[in-house]
Amino acid sequence: MENVQEFIVTAIEKIKAQIGGTALIALSGGVDSSVCAELAHRAIGDRLYPLFIDTGFMRKGEPEQVQASFSHMNLQMIDAGDRFFDAVKGIEDPELKRKAIGETFIRVFEEEARKINADYLIQGTIYPDVLESEKGIKSHHNVGGMPEKMEFKGVVEPLYYLYKDDVREVGRALSLPIALSERMPFPGPGLSVRACGEATREKVIAVRAANAIVEEEVMETLKPWQALAAVIGKGTGQKNGRRVYGWIIAVRIVNSDNAITAEPLDVPYPLLRKIQERITTEIPDAVRVVYDVTPKPPGTIEFE
Ligand code: XMP
């Protein structure tokens, strides 16, 4: 991106020209959709209907944070957790899971769009999502995971050619709260792709708590590109002198060049032990903690 101010002016002009009627945008709490919503709000004002769909796969405190950050817009909060858990029920395969979530997203959008008669859908798709979906590495929920049948007049993607760092720059230039513009990336399908295999409620509860612990322990001190925890299986352990067959939690902390490649951080061992201690103490069914030392490639940043 050559010039951020120029990008903003052009993006707002384009949105104005593209969207004659109303538009729906789903906020996820991440930087991409937040920047998109701010651009769109400046372009079409109250013709923008921002929507927050609580999929049940959100991080700890996320719905509340989003509500607080977008109080200057007419934000609708939709609790769709039951539908999303139903959609992924019995699905073990990560790609099928992403597709099921993508489809549920669109259906919920469409239902809301029908209620408010929105013509367009605005999405915060960025260039790495497009590249990875094209190469068949992963179906990002907002690209390859999109069902073919759409009921909108069109989809508008103002950040299509931007990389993450550009999006943050735009966010800063738009004076978004730092907590939003500098927030680490979080996948659209949320914690479902960190609850490996079938994303059951109990697995998601454990992984939500583990992600909160990892974020609390490393975001301020190590300032990595991304830090996360995933439930990667079950294993045997013992708690209070009794055998427990519980969650194996993987911790992944990486620095990255625009999410295309990534390097695991050389985390001080005492900090790793502290994370382990908190996870196995605070999460009743967590029995093991492992640290992922795999770069991308051959790994990806998320586990699924
Ligand atoms: P991977 O796991 O492919 O992730 O190395 C690269 C970056 O993208 C994020 N990610 C997603 N973002 N929808 C998104 O908006 C998705 O479906 C998705 N999957 C992964 C991931 O967190 C990392 O920052």
Side-chain angles (χ1 to χ4, degrees):
M1 193 178 47
E2 297 268 296
N3 180 317
V4 65
Q5 292 302 341
E6 227 167 78
F7 173 86
I8 291 172
V9 171
T10 313
I12 292 174
E13 286 305 315
K14 270 196 204 154
I15 298 169
K16 267 189 197 156
Q18 279 173 306
I19 300 178
T22 51
L24 191 66
I25 183 165
L27 289 165
S28 65
V31 58
D32 304 342
S33 61
S34 300
V35 167
C36 256
E38 194 58 45
L39 287 171
H41 192 246
R42 291 186 189 198
I44 63 169
D46 289 347
R47 286 187 284 127
L48 178 72
Y49 298 118
L51 197 68
F52 179 78
I53 297 173
D54 185 349
T55 59
F57 301 134
M58 301 294 167
R59 281 172 289 187
K60 189 178 160 192
E62 205 154 29
E64 296 78 9
Q65 274 168 18
V66 171
Q67 196 160 25
S69 306
F70 291 94
S71 57
H72 62 296
M73 298 183 197
N74 185 22
L75 180 65
Q76 297 286 318
M77 305 286 289
I78 311 293
D79 179 1
D82 288 346
R83 284 183 67 173
F84 280 88
F85 276 106
D86 280 351
V88 297
K89 202 168 186 164
I91 300 180
E92 304 252 337
D93 180 88
E95 284 295 277
L96 293 180
K97 192 156 72 175
R98 280 169 178 271
K99 290 220 159 64
I101 289 171
E103 199 153 335
T104 309
F105 252 118
I106 297 291
R107 295 296 162 240
V108 176
F109 281 168
E110 283 175 347
E111 284 169 25
E112 295 307 314
R114 242 177 261 130
K115 281 186 211 158
I116 54 180
N117 211 10
D119 304 305
Y120 290 85
L121 177 66
I122 302 182
Q123 285 200 317
T125 311
I126 62 170
Y127 207 51
D129 303 345
V130 181
L131 291 180
E132 297 219 327
S133 292
E134 273 174 3
K135 282 190 286 187
I137 295 172
K138 272 182 201 183
S139 306
H140 284 252
H141 81 283
N142 46 357
V143 187
M146 183 105 85
E148 278 163 23
K149 189 173 156 290
M150 295 274 303
E151 291 175 7
F152 296 101
K153 276 188 198 160
V155 179
V156 177
E157 298 176 310
L159 312 179
Y160 198 84
Y161 290 107
L162 298 194
Y163 285 90
K164 203 71 167 190
D165 295 341
D166 299 327
V167 181
R168 290 194 204 289
E169 204 182 327
V170 176
R172 284 191 289 270
L174 289 170
S175 307
L176 279 189
I178 294 290
L180 284 180
S181 67
E182 306 312 310
R183 186 153 210 189
M184 72 168 152
F186 186 63
L191 296 175
S192 79
V193 295
R194 297 179 182 173
C196 297
E198 184 181 358
T200 59
R201 283 179 193 272
E202 50 167 3
K203 211 185 270 183
V204 170
I205 288 170
V207 90
R208 179 177 294 119
N211 272 273
I213 292 169
V214 171
E215 286 191 31
E216 278 163 31
E217 293 298 333
V218 309
M219 291 320 289
E220 284 305 312
T221 48
L222 304 180
K223 300 201 185 318
W225 161 275
Q226 205 164 353
L228 58 99
V231 169
I232 57 169
K234 283 190 117 177
T236 303
Q238 49 179 318
K239 283 191 171 180
N240 305 321
R242 295 182 59 183
R243 178 185 182 278
V244 181
Y245 186 56
W247 305 123
I248 303 172
I249 299 204
V251 175
R252 184 144 173 77
I253 304 170
V254 294
N255 275 334
S256 173
D257 183 12
N258 279 317
I260 304 295
T261 59
E263 269 300 314
L265 252 73
D266 190 358
V267 180
Y269 192 66
L271 181 54
L272 280 178
R273 287 302 306 270
K274 185 173 178 209
I275 292 170
Q276 169 271 311
E277 176 83 32
R278 283 196 60 191
I279 288 176
T280 51
T281 308
E282 294 174 30
I283 304 173
D285 295 329
V287 289
R288 279 160 192 269
V289 177
V290 298
Y291 183 61
D292 186 352
V293 295
T294 319
K296 173 184 180 176
T300 52
I301 293 176
E302 302 291 342
F303 280 79
E304 289 189 342

